[in-house]
């Protein structure tokens, strides 16, 4: 797991795009389902943090996508035998896509993203967007779990309840999560202002960035 965290962010991003592209270019469910299972199995074998929570979320995603697509296709006149394979393929592609980018988010720290983007001499705006996008989502997920713990502490049972009730409680977390996201964005913008972030100023990186991202530069010893 530690070695995966040190892999260059853009190498992992390219791999995720390649897996996603393969999933969407082959829409048949007979290819999509095995690929989705392999993606989830890779997360488990790589011991990526939060895999159990991801599997729960992916299961919910599959159920929602399958139900919505089957109903939609039935309304459009397709037979059930035709609608189920199409819905299954769509759900499998979404699972593969989310698994690929979940891997990036859980194995890329904001510092490693900034280091890789700075070494690639990306514009400051692109660097900021990448670091915030892949850095904020894990924090929002943790906030989502804290909201769930607060619901349990107030006596709201969200585990051993029917699926529709669990879905309704999950949607109820959206408002406090949105409020927390706005507060977090305000705190980040305030911190950038305090530290003098300037969009027109180029910065260098203190990390050694290649195929792997080293935590620090090694100082050469002076000859005696």
């Amino acid at each position: 797991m530690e070695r995966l965290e040190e892999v260059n962010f853009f190498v992992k991003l390219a791999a995720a795009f390649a897996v996603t592209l393969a999933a969407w270019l082959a829409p048949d469910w007979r290819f999509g389902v095995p690929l989705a299972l392999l993606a989830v199995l890779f997360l488990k074998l790589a011991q990526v943090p939060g895999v159990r929570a991801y599997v729960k979320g992916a299961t919910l995603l599959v159920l929602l996508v399958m139900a919505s697509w089957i109903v939609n296709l039935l309304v459009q006149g397709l037979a059930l035998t035709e609608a189920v394979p199409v819905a299954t393929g769509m759900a499998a592609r979404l699972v593969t896509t989310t698994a690929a980018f979940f891997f990036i988010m859980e194995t890329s720290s904001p510092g490693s993203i900034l280091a890789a983007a700075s070494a690639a001499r990306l514009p400051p705006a692109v660097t900021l967007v990448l670091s915030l996008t892949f850095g904020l989502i894990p924090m929002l997920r943790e906030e989502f779990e804290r909201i769930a713990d607060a619901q349990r502490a107030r006596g709201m049972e969200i585990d051993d309840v029917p699926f529709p009730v669990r879905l309704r409680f999950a949607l109820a977390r959206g408002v406090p999560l949105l409020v927390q996201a706005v507060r977090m964005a305000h705190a980040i913008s305030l911190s950038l202002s305090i530290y003098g972030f300037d969009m027109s100023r180029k910065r260098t990186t203190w990390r050694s960035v290649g195929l792997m991202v080293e935590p620090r530069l090694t100082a050469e010893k002076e000859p005696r």
Side-chain angles (χ1 to χ4, degrees):
M1 177 60 192
E2 293 181 359
R3 300 301 295 173
L4 291 175
E5 292 179 350
E6 295 174 0
V7 175
N8 191 308
F9 168 74
F10 292 109
V11 173
K12 290 185 285 190
L13 190 62
F17 273 115
V19 172
T20 301
L21 187 63
W24 287 88
L25 288 180
D28 194 287
W29 69 272
R30 287 182 289 267
F31 174 81
V33 171
L35 184 60
L37 293 176
L38 286 175
V40 176
L41 180 62
F42 172 77
L43 294 178
K44 185 173 181 58
L45 293 178
Q47 298 180 350
V48 177
V51 175
R52 182 175 299 180
Y54 168 77
V55 171
K56 291 181 180 179
T59 303
L60 179 61
L61 175 66
V62 169
L63 294 175
L64 291 176
V65 171
M66 290 281 294
S68 60
W69 272 77
I70 289 175
V71 172
N72 185 29
L73 293 173
L74 290 177
V75 171
Q76 294 182 26
L78 268 70
L80 183 62
T81 54
E82 297 176 341
V84 172
V86 174
T88 303
M90 175 59 69
R93 290 194 292 273
L94 290 176
V95 170
T96 303
T97 302
T98 55
F101 286 93
F102 178 81
F103 169 75
I104 295 178
M105 289 184 293
E106 291 297 331
T107 60
S108 302
S109 64
S112 65
I113 298 174
L114 288 172
S118 299
R121 297 296 186 268
L122 294 181
V126 177
T127 302
L128 182 62
V129 168
L130 285 174
S131 59
L132 290 181
T133 300
F134 289 93
L136 277 180
I137 293 177
M139 288 189 289
L140 289 176
R141 190 190 66 250
E142 294 175 359
E143 184 64 28
F144 189 80
E145 292 299 325
R146 282 194 289 268
I147 295 172
D149 292 337
Q151 290 177 335
R152 294 186 184 94
R154 287 171 172 81
M156 183 182 293
E157 180 57 52
I158 61 176
D159 297 317
D160 299 327
V161 293
F163 175 75
V165 179
R166 185 180 302 181
L167 178 60
R168 181 165 56 86
F169 287 165
L171 295 176
R173 304 177 208 172
V175 174
L177 185 64
L178 178 61
V179 173
Q180 185 61 26
V182 173
R183 290 177 177 174
M184 193 179 301
H186 180 267
I188 291 173
S189 63
L190 181 61
S191 299
L192 290 173
S193 300
I194 292 175
Y195 283 100
F197 181 80
D198 186 358
M199 297 286 286
S200 62
R201 180 181 176 186
K202 294 183 178 180
R203 287 169 168 78
T204 58
T205 175
W206 56 271
R207 294 189 177 199
S208 177
V209 180
L211 176 62
M212 310 294 284
V213 179
E214 300 297 332
R216 61 183 65 83
L217 294 176
T218 56
E220 297 182 358
K221 294 182 179 180
E222 297 182 358
R224 296 181 180 178

